[in-house]
Each structure stands twice: as structure tokens, then as C-alpha cells.
Amino acid sequence: MKPFRILSVTLLLSSLLAGCQTEAVESRKRAQAEKPAKPAKAAHAAKKAPADTDEFVNFNDWSDVQSFIDGMVERYGFSREELQRTLGKVRYVDSAVRLMRPAPPGRPKNWTAYRARFVEPVRIDAGVAFWNRYADALARAEEQYGVPAEIIVGILGVETIYGRNTGDFRVMDAITTLAFAYPDTPTRQTRMAYFREELANTLLLARDAGIDPFSLRGSYAGAVGWPQFMPGSIRKFGVDFDGDGRIDLRNSPVDAIGSIANFLVMHGWRRGEPLVFPASVDAAAGSGWELFLNQGLEAKFRLNEMRAAGVKPETTAPDDLLYGLVDLQNGEAPTEYWLGANNFFAITQYNRSFFYAMSVIDLGRAVRVARGI
């Protein structure tokens, strides 16, 4: 029996409640930022950050910004005066800070509702049109990287509805704001360090490409283009797949196709391996299956040890692969359980979410079925 890799297409037609909502929120993805609880207090700031969205702040007055400039001059040979002029034009984006805060407590996760936002007719129809138009590039990516076309199509559909919604924040504004005024959270310093590195990558990307850094637009977290890559990911994983001599994820869907495939391979994708298998768990007290929950985003358990603890595949799953237990909480309804193989977890490196990875898989399959393949 072939492994059951994805959820039934019949469920998607019941999922119209959110229509064609685009996902600035899902762009948190590449930023991988948890949403903290309180507004940022810039301890290093000479001036208090304004409460209004897109207000001017002279970031050059902030001591941490001057330290950042020192590092860019020393590490990458930037002109201090040029950087001060550039950062002097940055605007503080309060909405970026607000969107990093946690959702109100008390509302349980709901896989069915989440899935309905992405596996829906608008994205499916757009996916069919995209696949038809770029079939050659998708086939070439599958041959070169071993990533099936439906996975690439699923990611592009979830991320931006095939380039329709790539974000309209100035990347320099969003990333600088989060680099120096990230909201209060236990991991605030780590997150600011991450965004400072992305600010450096933004400046380097612009310099290498010979473009104005303020011309880059994207999500509130700074993700860019059709595939919503952070600037650092563009520099590390972007590829010139259309052969025009430059990597352009804002305007070249072919570059986006190749870059997504390359990203997945560089994050552990293995040619020809399966994704997920439906599973059930033994609800009896003390069976031990709960020990496989919350074990990170990797496949690291043998099937025999999971079976012994009460985790049972509902279709034939290869004994020679490693797995992780995927739990898709459904509000008040029963949780769905799956055995995620290595390639499932490669998708979670794009966005650290089981819901995201399963939506990518399901949307890609729905597009393939609608296309009649």
C-alpha cells in the first residue's frame, strides 16, 4: 500500500470560512518569532519610540544602532557616513511590534479552521494556473533537487497566493524596528540579535545587487518576494533559476521555484522519501505515547519504539525510517495524529509549525488533483 501522505481533498471543500485571506501573519514564518506579551522598551534609546505606526525616529540617536554601525564598518567595509544617512531615513513601525505580540490566551488551536484559510478554492484555482504556466520550471526543479512540484506549489500558495500578496512594509523599516525595539519577552535579546543580523543581510543584499535598500518591500517581519524569504535566506539559499544572471525573488517566479527547492534540500529534504502517515494513539493511562510530543522539529524515533508506546500508523509505514509524532489540535474536537517523516520536518524549517507544513502538503495535493494529474 502506498503511504498516505496528505489529508483527504474532500475536507477542503468544506473549508470556505476564511476565503482568500492573505497571510501577512503567516510571514512570521521566516522570522520564526514568537509573539511576546508587552510593548518594547528600548533601554538603549535616547528617545521613547512613538506609539503611532510608521513614525519617524532618529535611530542614529540610539547607542545600540551606533554599535551596529561600528560592526558593519569593521566587518563589511561600509562607510559610516553612508550607514548613518541610510538609518537616518528609517521609520519606526509600531504595527510590526504589535504583530509580534502573543495572541490572547484561552482560544484553543484549531487545525480545521487553520487549514480552511489555505486549502480553499481561490488558492487551488490560482495554483492550477501557476502550475500550468510554470510546468517546465517546476519539472526542472523536481529533477534537479528532488522536491515534488506540488510541495513547491503548496508553499507558494500558502505564502503569497502565487505572488499576489508579498507584503507592503518597507523591509528596512520593519527589520530595523524589530532589531532595536523588539517587544518585551524572555527571548527578546535573542530575537533582536536575529533581526540585527537580518538588517546586516538587508544592507549586504542591497549593496551586492546594486539596489536601494528602501526599495525592498515585504512582510511586517521583513520577508521578501514570492517565497517570502528573509534577506539572509535570499543570500544563503536563493538561486538564479531562470538563468538571467541575477537572483530576483520579487519579480521572478522561476527563481522562486528553484530557491524554494534549494532551501528545502539545504534543510534536509531527501529525494523520494515520504512525508506523513496517519496515526492513532493509545489513550490508556501510562501507555507512554505522550513522551513523543513536543520533541522538536525532527524525525528521530524508530517506528518500533513508537508502536511499543501506543503510537500506531493507520497505513503501512516503512520500518527503516525515523519519525516524529505530529499532533494537530482541533479545538474541542479530537486531535489528529500523524507520523511525520524526515521530509515533513524539512518543510517545518520554512515555518516552524505543524499546521503550516500540513497546509502546504494539503494545498499542493489539492492543486495537483484539480489539475487532473
Side-chain angles (χ1 to χ4, degrees):
M1 180 179 295
K2 294 183 180 179
F4 186 90
R5 300 188 180 182
I6 40 189
L7 295 176
S8 171
V9 175
T10 57
L11 180 57
L12 68 90
L13 294 177
S14 67
S15 308
L16 302 180
L17 67 112
C20 60
Q21 179 180 356
T22 66
E23 279 328 307
V25 174
E26 261 54 49
S27 299
R28 61 175 157 66
K29 314 189 168 204
R30 248 100 11 252
Q32 301 173 6
E34 81 301 327
K35 296 183 179 179
K38 297 180 181 179
K41 295 179 180 178
H44 55 278
K47 296 181 181 180
K48 182 179 178 181
D52 296 331
T53 300
D54 296 345
E55 285 288 327
F56 175 74
V57 169
N58 189 354
F59 279 98
N60 283 318
D61 286 345
W62 296 16
S63 61
D64 280 2
V65 174
Q66 291 305 311
S67 295
F68 172 81
I69 290 173
D70 291 341
M72 294 297 289
V73 171
E74 181 178 351
R75 291 171 62 191
Y76 302 115
F78 276 89
S79 160
R80 182 179 305 278
E81 292 74 19
E82 177 186 348
L83 285 178
Q84 288 175 335
R85 283 195 299 271
T86 298
L87 291 168
K89 295 187 289 185
V90 170
R91 298 177 73 86
Y92 175 91
V93 186
D94 183 65
S95 55
V97 176
R98 287 189 284 105
L99 285 164
M100 289 295 180
R101 296 174 189 161
R107 177 173 293 183
K109 295 180 180 180
N110 191 311
W111 158 239
T112 300
Y114 181 98
R115 182 183 186 277
R117 295 156 62 186
F118 301 106
V119 188
E120 48 82 35
V122 169
R123 292 180 200 255
I124 294 169
D125 291 345
V128 170
F130 177 86
W131 195 331
N132 287 340
R133 182 171 183 178
Y134 296 104
D136 290 345
L138 288 163
R140 183 160 53 92
E142 185 164 350
E143 174 63 26
Q144 181 172 335
Y145 294 101
V147 179
E150 67 188 76
I151 298 300
I152 299 171
V153 168
I155 287 175
L156 284 167
V158 169
E159 290 292 342
T160 60
I161 316 183
Y162 310 99
R164 293 185 188 181
N165 298 288
T166 58
D168 201 34
F169 287 83
R170 291 201 310 182
V171 169
M172 279 292 297
D173 295 343
I175 289 182
T176 303
T177 298
L178 295 173
F180 299 103
Y182 195 86
D184 288 340
T185 169
T187 59
R188 180 172 185 258
Q189 293 302 319
T190 300
R191 300 309 299 157
M192 286 199 299
Y194 167 78
F195 280 106
R196 288 178 196 185
E197 191 63 27
E198 286 300 334
L199 177 57
N201 278 309
T202 303
L203 293 165
L204 289 164
L205 177 66
R207 184 174 72 177
D208 293 345
I211 61 174
D212 179 355
F214 289 98
S215 71
L216 293 169
R217 293 191 174 261
S219 76
Y220 71 84
V224 176
W226 285 65
Q228 292 290 275
F229 273 21
M230 292 298 287
S233 289
I234 297 175
R235 298 186 69 230
K236 291 178 184 176
F237 309 114
V239 296
D240 172 22
F241 206 55
D242 63 11
D244 69 352
R246 60 196 179 105
I247 298 167
D248 184 2
L249 302 188
R250 295 181 292 168
N251 301 300
S252 172
V254 174
D255 282 359
I257 287 168
S259 297
I260 290 170
N262 185 54
F263 178 97
L264 291 174
V265 168
M266 296 300 291
H267 286 84
W269 184 276
R270 296 173 187 166
R271 183 187 298 268
E273 289 195 3
L275 290 159
V276 290
F277 301 85
S280 60
V281 298
D282 184 354
S287 63
W289 67 269
E290 296 96 336
L291 296 176
F292 294 102
L293 295 174
N294 304 313
Q295 293 297 313
L297 299 177
E298 60 179 313
K300 57 185 178 180
F301 300 108
R302 292 289 178 187
L303 191 55
N304 59 356
E305 63 181 314
M306 299 184 80
R307 279 199 182 103
V311 180
K312 300 177 182 179
E314 295 184 351
T315 60
T316 301
D319 289 324
D320 59 345
L321 297 179
L322 297 177
Y323 299 94
L325 183 59
V326 176
D327 59 322
L328 303 179
Q329 299 172 43
N330 248 329
E332 301 301 322
T335 297
E336 289 185 18
Y337 294 98
W338 297 77
L339 291 174
N342 177 79
N343 285 349
F344 175 86
F345 289 101
I347 298 172
T348 67
Q349 301 308 304
Y350 208 103
N351 179 333
R352 300 173 68 83
S353 163
F354 290 168
F355 281 16
Y356 174 87
M358 288 298 292
S359 291
V360 164
I361 293 167
D362 283 2
L363 176 59
R365 181 174 188 270
V367 173
R368 176 170 59 78
V369 170
R371 191 167 177 258
I373 297 177

